[in-house]
Amino acid sequence: MRDLGTGFGYLAKGQRWVAGHGRWFGFGLIPGLITLVLYAGALVGLAFGADDLIAWATPFADDWSSPWIGLFRGFLTVLLFALGLFLAVITFTAVTLLVGQPFYESLSEQVDKSESPDGTAPESGLPLLRELWISARDSLRILVRALLWAVLLFFLGFIPVLGQTVVPAIGFCVTGFFLTQELTSVALQRRRVEVREQLALLRAHRMTTWGFGVPLALAFLVPFVAVFLMPGAVAGATLMVRDLRRENELPQQQPQSPPQTPAPHSGQASGPYGQPPQPMPGNPYAQ
């Protein structure tokens, strides 16, 4: 439970960071607004066309009597829209990050600079087009994993009782994990961390990852909330990356050896700290 609270704390810290840097908050809103318009249009189209799509996909039910045909196709329509909404939540961050790669890259870099003792931030050293290609490639890999989970959870939803209780909870955990991966990838890609290493890092801190991602996934279900939370989510993910990679820890200073006392001015040579020199072992002329 402590790690869950730690993960949620990073989300809150990120929102506080952008609240204290208003210019970067407005700068980070632009990609989310663009993606929101695209997704809103897609979901509206799905809502109007879901009935026809289900009727086309279930011709065997045309001869069923009422009310069974209505209940059956209505149930499938609700499931289809729920699946579309689930995929929208899963992919919204990935698409927004892809659209807003230059925006969020600058925002994450500014967070690193503000938290770094020397005011610097890690740089990938790659051209912008190369960074966009890596971001798109990694997002596609994560999307395939998310789709496999979505299909599995979709069919598990038909199980009585479990499909209405346990499966939705698992779905939010899966969504939160992948949301966190997408958000932390902005900072991790600048550190040249591959996607497999990113997933391994988050799995090693699974409770912290859920504490950050699950509340965000729940908040993203509310219209327009995702747009306003995205800048702070990117900032909070960058803060979390710094802590998980222990970048905020100061290097330990090596203890300094005590100064040596200079040899006294006498005819007899002396060793360290004014003691007479000791014979070297194995030297036959020192006996």
Side-chain angles (χ1 to χ4, degrees):
M1 296 299 295
R2 177 182 177 184
D3 291 338
L4 287 174
T6 301
F8 183 77
Y10 289 123
L11 184 60
K13 289 178 183 177
Q15 301 303 324
R16 287 199 299 267
W17 192 94
V18 294
H21 302 76
R23 182 173 68 90
W24 288 102
F25 175 70
F27 186 72
L29 288 178
I30 298 175
L33 290 172
I34 296 173
T35 309
L36 179 64
V37 171
L38 296 176
Y39 271 73
L43 288 175
V44 169
L46 178 62
F48 280 101
D51 292 338
D52 295 334
L53 181 60
I54 292 298
W56 171 82
T58 57
F60 57 86
D62 290 340
D63 297 331
W64 289 12
S65 60
S66 180
W68 303 115
I69 183 174
L71 292 175
F72 175 69
R73 287 179 171 172
F75 176 70
L76 292 182
T77 300
V78 172
L79 281 181
L80 178 63
F81 189 79
L83 177 61
L85 187 61
F86 177 79
L87 292 178
V89 174
I90 284 287
T91 60
F92 180 86
T93 305
V95 175
T96 304
L97 291 175
L98 184 61
V99 172
Q101 176 71 18
F103 297 87
Y104 295 135
E105 185 75 23
S106 300
L107 173 59
S108 176
E109 184 177 354
Q110 188 63 31
V111 174
D112 268 325
K113 289 180 178 179
S114 68
E115 296 296 316
S116 177
D118 55 1
T120 60
E123 297 181 0
S124 65
L126 299 175
L128 177 60
L129 291 179
R130 177 65 177 170
E131 289 185 351
L132 290 175
W133 161 249
I134 293 175
S135 177
R137 181 198 64 190
D138 292 348
S139 296
L140 181 61
R141 292 176 178 175
I142 297 300
L143 179 60
V144 170
R145 288 181 170 90
L147 285 174
L148 293 176
W149 274 100
V151 172
L152 175 62
L153 294 174
F154 175 76
F155 287 106
L156 290 178
F158 289 98
I159 301 177
V161 182
L162 292 179
Q164 293 74 44
T165 55
V166 178
V167 173
I170 296 175
F172 280 114
C173 290
V174 172
T175 304
F177 183 89
F178 286 122
L179 279 178
T180 306
Q181 190 281 327
E182 290 289 349
L183 290 166
T184 53
S185 67
V186 177
L188 289 172
Q189 283 178 6
R190 279 193 295 108
R191 291 160 169 82
R192 306 291 290 270
V193 180
E194 295 292 334
V195 65
R196 290 184 180 179
E197 299 176 36
Q198 297 176 21
L199 293 173
L201 177 66
L202 295 181
R203 290 192 189 104
H205 302 85
R206 200 182 302 270
M207 299 300 289
T208 302
T209 301
W210 284 337
F212 182 91
V214 172
L216 196 61
L218 291 171
F220 277 13
L221 294 177
V222 182
F224 305 108
V225 169
V227 176
F228 294 98
L229 290 183
M230 274 297 292
V234 173
T238 303
L239 296 174
M240 187 168 76
V241 166
R242 294 184 60 86
D243 283 347
L244 294 185
R245 289 173 55 86
R246 303 181 184 275
E247 295 179 2
N248 292 328
E249 295 183 2
L250 296 176
Q252 295 181 355
Q253 297 181 354
Q254 297 295 332
Q256 298 180 355
S257 58
Q260 296 183 354
T261 305
H265 298 283
S266 62
Q268 182 181 3
S270 61
Y273 308 108
Q275 300 297 326
Q278 301 296 323
M280 296 293 293
N283 186 353
Y285 299 100
Q287 303 298 328

